[in-house]
Amino acid sequence: MDTFLEKLFDKYEIVEKDRYEILSIYSLLPDFKKQRILDNFDSLAIKLKTIKEEKIKEEEIILDNIIPDIEKIIEENKTS
C-alpha cells in the first residue's frame, strides 16, 4: 500500500472500514487519479467526517421518535 496514503489515514483518523473501502477503490484507479486523491485527501476526509456526523444525528432522531412508540407498545402488551 502507498505509505503516503497510510500516513493520511492516520493523520485524519480514518477508521478501518473506511480505509478498506478507500483502498479498494484506490487500487483500481489509474495513477493520475490516485494522485488526485492524495492531493485532495483533506477534502475527502472532511466529507467523510460530515457524512458520519449527519448519520449519527439522523440515527438519534430516528431513535428519539421510535423509542417512545416501542415503550408504548410494550406497556400496552403488558396490560393486555
Side-chain angles (χ1 to χ4, degrees):
M1 179 193 14
D2 190 305
T3 56
F4 189 66
L5 187 57
E6 184 66 34
K7 288 178 184 177
L8 289 171
F9 286 158
D10 292 340
K11 177 181 177 182
Y12 291 101
E13 300 175 351
I14 304 297
V15 296
E16 286 299 318
K17 178 183 176 284
D18 292 337
R19 288 179 186 218
Y20 174 79
E21 291 174 356
I22 291 169
L23 278 173
S24 296
I25 295 167
Y26 184 84
S27 66
L28 300 172
L29 296 174
D31 288 341
F32 76 95
K33 287 190 179 184
K34 288 179 181 178
Q35 188 60 49
R36 193 178 304 159
I37 285 178
L38 296 176
D39 292 342
N40 298 304
F41 200 85
D42 58 334
S43 173
L44 175 63
I46 290 168
K47 288 177 184 176
L48 281 172
K49 183 179 179 187
T50 302
I51 290 169
K52 285 179 188 266
E53 289 171 352
E54 289 175 0
K55 180 181 175 236
I56 290 170
K57 287 178 186 176
E58 288 174 4
E59 288 172 347
E60 288 172 352
I61 290 169
I62 290 169
L63 287 175
D64 286 346
N65 289 330
I66 291 176
I67 289 177
D69 292 341
I70 292 173
E71 289 173 340
K72 181 180 175 188
I73 291 170
I74 290 171
E75 285 302 316
E76 289 174 355
N77 286 324
K78 281 182 179 178
T79 58
S80 299

